[in-house]
Amino acid sequence: MTLLEASSPVVAEPVAPARRRSGLTVLGLAVLWLGYVLAHELLSGRVWWMLLPDLAPPFVFALIPALLLGGAAIVRGRHGGRAALLAVVAFALTAGQSGLRLPALGSPGPVPAGAIRVVSWNTQFWEQDEDPQAFYRYLRSYDADVYLLQEYLYFTDGPIRIDRLAEVRQWFPGYQIVADSELLTLSRLPIRDSRPLAAVDDAAPPPAGTDFLSYWTTKTLRTDIEVGGGVISFYNVHTPVQLDAERSPLTTRFYTVVQDQAARREASWRALTTDLDGNPGPVFVAGDFNSTPAMGELDRIRLDEAALTGGGLYPSTWDARGRGWWRLDHVFTSDDVAVHRYDLHDSLDLSDHRAQDLRISLT
């Protein structure tokens, strides 16, 4: 008779309290982040106060899920697995808003004969604080067929109208010039038509007594230009900035300004999208939108994004003089406008915005 030794029961090793707390912490952070992402999806571009959290660099929508996944890998276990799942869901919801542009990493194809060069640039108050010769040399170096330039003005305590058309004609002989408000469009191709798109909102009227009314009412300049046997409508855009950085966020006036600017932004978006909806022809929309890829306002433009064709993995246009964490400048085109190249260039300390440089043609 053989005696069988009784086997000892297997007892699960208890989870250390510290590790359990770490797992709950990571899971809690993942829940909070997913909650913010859902709120952002619902509210961005719809309520004025979302303009403030939307000031965060877009890469946070990729960075925070990555950090959460790292934390989940460390704590592991049931809580870590749930946290990882929530992080993946959050990133999936906002991947397009992170500013990352994977298609732009591909090699650009050849630029076909007949393609034209277009440059869009926020000049930061023209040449107010710069050497005018260096400023015009920089612009002229692109030798572009079409220039869409913003902030054709000076600014001290407020916007100041300027007239530099004589200098512009001297530096750009043979170009046609269209200027309105703070927007200036140059073309050496024939211009068929042009018109400013007025944007007025009764909730935030222009300041009383202003001597530069168009600055407050015109934030888009449309110019129809002959290109390759057809006509492309070029929209030169500068959406009003969100806030007054000189004011303290501890004052009520700071938030009043944000609300007023939100109304002006809304009016400018309405003017632009209304005209786009009524334009059946090819369109090219570019400028300083003061909007990052994370902001819901850009969803109103149902066009192709030029940054998908170039500019790097994380194309940024501002601040060209500091941390380039934001892309505030954009280009959008209709299906019948092909973008063969999209590049961003340093402004040589002439502006806080990088210049957008494109080669395009009609398809």
Side-chain angles (χ1 to χ4, degrees), residues 242-260:
Q242 293 94 321
L243 50 79
D244 182 355
E246 301 292 322
R247 296 185 183 276
S248 168
L250 300 179
T251 64
T252 57
R253 180 58 183 162
F254 174 88
Y255 299 96
T256 301
V257 169
V258 174
Q259 192 168 9
D260 290 345

Side-chain angles (χ1 to χ4, degrees), residues 324-355:
W325 288 353
W326 293 266
R327 177 153 61 94
L328 304 181
D329 307 80
H330 305 268
V331 176
F332 302 95
T333 62
S334 54
D335 292 338
D336 38 15
V337 176
V339 177
H340 308 290
R341 291 285 172 81
Y342 176 82
D343 297 305
L344 297 173
H345 297 296
D346 187 79
S347 296
L348 304 183
D349 210 31
L350 294 168
S351 169
D352 56 352
H353 287 256
R354 300 173 74 189

